Structure formats: C-alpha cells, structure tokens
C-alpha cells in the first residue's frame, strides 16, 4: 500500500491534476476577487476584507495542502508557551524572517494555517509579481505591499500600503525579508564585502539586512501593530530530503525547525538611525542562532538565546477539505472536455487538447521555478554601493 501511495505521489498525472486544480480554481477566485475589489471595496473595506480572507485562504491553502498533507512535512515550533496562548493569531504582527530556503515562505504559511490566519498573510513583494496569474493576482487583491525597487517611488508606497494593512479588522501577518533576497554563497560574499567596506557586522549565515523598508514601515505601524515576530527557520543539513517545492510535490516529507520570538513594537527606537541599528542587532542574534543550529542542530546551544522547548501544532483538516472540494469542482468538467477533444477524431481538437495539457505542465514548471534560489535577485553580481549614512538619511518616509 505504501509503495502504491508513493507511486501516486510521484506520478506526473497526479502533479497535472494538482496544477489544473490550483490554476483553474485560482482564476475563479481571482475573478470573484476582482468583482469584489472594484464593486464592494469602494463601499465597504471592512466587508471586502472579511470576505476576501476566505477567498485568499482557499487559494493559499492548496499549497499548504501540498506541504502538510501530500508530502507530510513536519514543522517543530519554538515559541514561548505563554506568549503563544496570549498573542499568536490574536494580534497584528510584523514578521522579520531569514531568507535561506526555497520553501521558507511555505513553512511560514503552514504555521499561519495552524493558528488560523493564513488568509491574512501579507508580504513585501516585487511589483511585477502582481501580474502573475492566480497567486500574484491574489496578492494584489489581498493588498500586499508591492515595491518597484526604486526608492523614490517605494518610500511613499510603503507608507500608504502599510497604513492600509494596519487597519485590517482581523489579525494580519506582514512578512519582511530584510535581507532583500535569498541567501546563496555568491550573494553572501558580496554581502561580506559590503559589510567590510561600511564597517558593519559580518554575518556568517545571513546577508546584511537592508534597513530602509523597515525604518520606513515602523512609524506607520505604531499604535496599530503590537509586535514584531522574530522568525528563524532552519533545516538540518544532514537531512536526506532537501527543503524544496519539488521534493514536497513528489510526496517527500521535509522536517523544519521554526523559532518565533515576540518583541513589542515599542522596543524599536523612534529615530531612523537607531531603528536601523536595532534591526542590525537583531540580525546578529539571528546569525548566532543559525550558527548554533548548523553546528549542533539546536538554536540555543551556542547562541546565548534563552531556550524554549519545541512542540508540534496539530494539522487542521480545512486545507485537506478545501483541496478535495476544488478537485471535484475543477477536475471532473475539465477532464471531461479534454477527453472529448482528444477522442474527437479531429486533428484540430486533438491538438487543442494536447496544447492545454502542455500549458498546465508549463504552469507547474513556472510555479516551481519561482521558488528557486537561483531565480532570485541579482544581489551578489552587483555589490551594493550606497553608503550607510545615505541609506539612513534618505529614508524620510512621508507621513500624512
């Protein structure tokens, strides 16, 4: 039975069924979001956001299904138990996460699903992503923060968009990858050279954090967002199954270790220079934790950070039920018409049917490619040259 199940999980047919379900359901969800965004939102942001939570959840949870049900991925959670019961899933939070793996965002989503806030996960993202069908469009309608990597334009956009998110009626999770891109050896070398040139701490397992987005966002969060969550994700390098979307799609279980520390936003200094230094100090702590984990398999053994014991949050059945429901709604009619096309005897119809199947395989390939580290930014090929003092002085976020 186990061998049959593994064969099914590795089968291209299974992968085709999953991507057809995800893509077609995503387009349906996007269409409903579009109608509500331009129809309901101008009249009531409150009700638009309440409804859109479930639409976004219905799409995001299909990817969570792949991770936690299809592949059986396990996530060990390290959180202070008192903080967990009092705050997590009950307040707006600003997440600062390391950016080292192809699946760090997906592991974060697993955690958010298990505390009931997956539909309100937001992130800073490149503006081009919002034009990507299904997931990119969903992020646009979910009001994620889109940036052009042009600071003169982004400075004002951050203020406007972050204030909007802070007014959400239900708890949100706003994610910042302060390193700006995923960690690779090439990018790390460039980061070390930049740190040496500017007299900044030379991090061993992280890239030097970029402070502009952080220092520009914090003033708009004060009084509305209670806490920053310091999020650190690690996978054991000795693990047989590497943390990639491809391995999850093939049904291979991945084992992650996720630390979350709650920091009241009031602890971040008011001044821009001081806030920037606070973020760099946080990354020194994060670096010590990652060094400790890579050496010992333990975040706390060599880092000096207070130990918290890991626990497992139980999987909820919502992502499984959601995926099964969409599979029935989508796959039955889609494959009925595809079968009609391919068995029609018409060369034209057969060609159309085969083209549709190839299109869905292409979409699966593109989705996987979007998660790969090699497809990240060009950081490391062009070393940053902006002086630290200019970085601090040029933040000047416009506030209304």
């Amino acid at each position: 039975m186990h061998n049959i199940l593994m064969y099914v999980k590795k089968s291209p047919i299974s992968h085709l069924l999953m991507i057809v379900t995800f893509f077609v359901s995503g387009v349906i969800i996007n269409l409903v979001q579009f109608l509500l965004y331009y129809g309901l939102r101008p009249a009531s942001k409150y009700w638009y956001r309440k409804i859109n939570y479930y639409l976004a959840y219905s799409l995001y949870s299909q990817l969570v299904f792949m991770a936690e049900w299809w592949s059986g991925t396990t996530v060990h959670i390290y959180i202070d138990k008192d903080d967990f019961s009092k705050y997590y899933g009950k307040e707006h939070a600003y997440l600062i996460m390391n950016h080292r793996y192809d699946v760090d965002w997906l592991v974060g989503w697993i955690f958010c699903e298990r505390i009931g806030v997956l539909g309100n996960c937001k992130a800073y993202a490149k503006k081009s992503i919002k034009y990507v069908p299904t997931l990119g469009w969903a992020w646009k309608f979910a009001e994620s923060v889109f940036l052009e990597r042009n600071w003169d334009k982004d400075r004002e956009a951050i203020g406007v968009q972050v204030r909007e998110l802070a007014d959400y009626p239900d708890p949100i999770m706003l994610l910042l990858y302060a390193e700006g891109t995923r960690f690779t050896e090439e990018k790390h070398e460039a980061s070390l050279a930049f740190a040496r040139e500017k007299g900044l701490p030379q991090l061993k397992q992280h890239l030097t954090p970029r402070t502009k987005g952080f220092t520009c966002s914090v003033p708009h969060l004060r009084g509305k967002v209670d806490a920053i969550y310091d999020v650190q994700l690690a996978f054991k390098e000795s693990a047989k199954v590497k943390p990639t979307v491809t391995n999850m799609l093939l049904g291979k279980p991945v084992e992650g270790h996720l630390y979350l520390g709650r920091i009241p936003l009031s602890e971040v200094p008011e001044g821009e220079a001081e806030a920037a230094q606070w973020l760099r100090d946080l990354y020194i702590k994060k670096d010590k934790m990652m060094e400790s984990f890579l050496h010992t398999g333990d975040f706390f053994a060599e880092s000096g950070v207070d130990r918290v014991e890991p626990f497992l949050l139980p999987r909820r059945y919502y992502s499984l039920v959601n995926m099964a429901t969409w599979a029935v709604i989508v796959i039955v009619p889609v494959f009925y018409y595809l079968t009609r096309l391919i068995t029609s005897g018409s060369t034209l119809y057969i060609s159309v049917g085969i083209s549709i199947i190839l299109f869905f395989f292409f979409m699966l390939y593109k989705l996987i490619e979007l998660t790969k580290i090699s497809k990240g930014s060009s950081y490391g090929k062009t070393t940053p040259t902006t002086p630290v003092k200019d970085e601090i002085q040029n933040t000047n976020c416009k506030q209304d």
Side-chain angles (χ1 to χ4, degrees), residues 29-39 141:
I29 291 168
N30 290 161
L31 177 59
V32 177
Q33 288 178 309
F34 173 85
L35 295 173
L36 292 175
Y37 188 86
Y38 292 105
F141 294 126

Side-chain angles (χ1 to χ4, degrees), residues 188-400:
H188 185 226
E189 287 300 320
S191 177
L192 289 175
F194 177 69
R196 286 192 294 267
E197 179 185 349
K198 307 304 176 187
L200 298 174
Q202 296 181 47
L203 304 177
K204 296 179 180 179
Q205 303 299 335
H206 297 78
L207 306 179
T208 300
R210 300 176 179 185
T211 60
K212 285 183 180 181
F214 176 76
T215 58
C216 191
S217 298
V218 167
H220 303 287
L221 300 173
R222 294 190 188 278
K224 298 180 179 180
V225 174
D226 293 326
I228 290 172
Y229 293 171
D230 170 23
V231 186
Q232 194 69 18
L233 174 66
F235 295 89
K236 291 184 178 179
E237 295 191 327
S238 59
K240 293 181 179 179
V241 180
K242 300 303 178 185
T244 67
V245 171
T246 300
N247 279 335
M248 288 183 175
L249 188 63
L250 292 171
K252 298 178 181 180
V254 172
E255 186 172 1
H257 298 261
L258 189 69
Y259 166 86
L260 292 99
R262 184 182 184 276
I263 307 169
L265 191 68
S266 58
E267 293 187 11
V268 180
E270 295 278 352
E272 291 178 8
E274 292 79 9
Q277 186 58 51
W278 183 91
L279 181 64
R280 295 190 192 101
D281 291 341
L282 178 65
Y283 266 80
I284 292 174
K285 169 195 168 185
K286 293 170 77 68
D287 207 52
K288 291 178 180 178
M289 293 186 72
M290 183 60 78
E291 275 281 285
S292 177
F293 188 90
L294 294 178
H295 288 164
T296 68
D298 186 326
F299 283 124
F300 313 103
E302 298 177 355
S303 66
V305 176
D306 292 341
R307 178 177 296 278
V308 291
E309 295 302 325
F311 63 94
L312 296 173
L313 285 173
R315 282 183 287 188
R316 306 192 310 165
Y317 286 93
Y318 297 114
S319 62
L320 177 61
V321 172
N322 177 75
M323 187 68 185
T325 302
W326 274 118
V328 172
I329 293 171
V330 170
I331 290 174
V332 173
V334 166
F335 276 86
Y336 170 76
Y337 286 109
L338 278 177
T339 302
R340 290 281 301 272
L341 287 172
I342 293 173
T343 61
S344 66
S346 166
T347 303
L348 176 61
Y349 288 169
I350 292 173
S351 299
V352 170
I354 293 173
S355 297
I356 292 172
I357 292 173
L358 292 176
F359 169 77
F360 283 121
F361 272 118
F362 173 77
M363 293 302 298
L364 174 61
Y365 168 79
K366 293 302 292 183
L367 182 63
I368 292 173
E369 282 295 293
L370 282 173
T371 70
K372 289 185 177 179
I373 288 176
S374 61
K375 297 297 179 182
S377 80
S378 59
Y379 190 112
K381 298 174 184 176
T382 304
T383 303
T385 57
T386 305
V388 174
K389 65 178 182 180
D390 291 342
E391 179 186 3
I392 295 171
Q393 292 171 352
N394 288 340
T395 54
N396 296 325
C397 294
K398 192 174 186 180
Q399 300 183 57
D400 297 331

Side-chain angles (χ1 to χ4, degrees), residues 22 79 84-85 167-168 170 179 261 265 270 333 338 342 378 395:
F22 178 78
I79 304 178
F84 180 76
S85 60
D167 287 332
Y168 255 67
D170 298 310
E179 293 163 271
L265 191 68
E270 295 278 352
L338 278 177
I342 293 173
S378 59
T395 54

